[in-house]
């Protein structure tokens, strides 16, 4: 399953440039397009708020 950005997101933008498939989009909280995400986990590693978790 695709990774998910939870409401712990503070919209800092750290994850945006690390996604190799550009699945992440900006917003009040950021969002991952589940159809584009390849589940690499790169965004979860860099998130300073630990807001990104594997989907279920
Ligand atoms: Fe992009 Fe990888 Fe995060 Fe999926 S897990 S949104 S592919 S950085």
């Amino acid at each position: 399953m695709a990774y998910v950005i939870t409401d712990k997101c503070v919209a800092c933008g750290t994850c945006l440039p690390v996604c190799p498939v550009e699945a992440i989009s900006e917003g009040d909280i950021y969002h991952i397009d589940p159809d584009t995400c390849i589940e690499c986990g790169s965004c979860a590693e860099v998130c300073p708020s630990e807001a990104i978790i594997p989907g279920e």
Side-chain angles (χ1 to χ4, degrees):
M1 290 293 291
Y3 277 65
V4 175
I5 300 179
T6 69
D7 60 8
K8 291 169 77 175
C9 173
V10 295
C12 68
T14 304
C15 57
L16 199 61
V18 305
C19 179
V21 293
E22 298 183 7
I24 303 174
S25 53
E26 291 180 54
D28 291 338
I29 67 171
Y30 280 44
H31 177 258
I32 296 172
D33 177 0
D35 295 326
T36 305
C37 175
I38 57 170
E39 301 160 46
C40 71
S42 299
C43 53
E45 287 179 19
V46 300
C47 177
S49 303
E50 299 183 355
I52 307 179
I53 58 174
E56 294 177 357

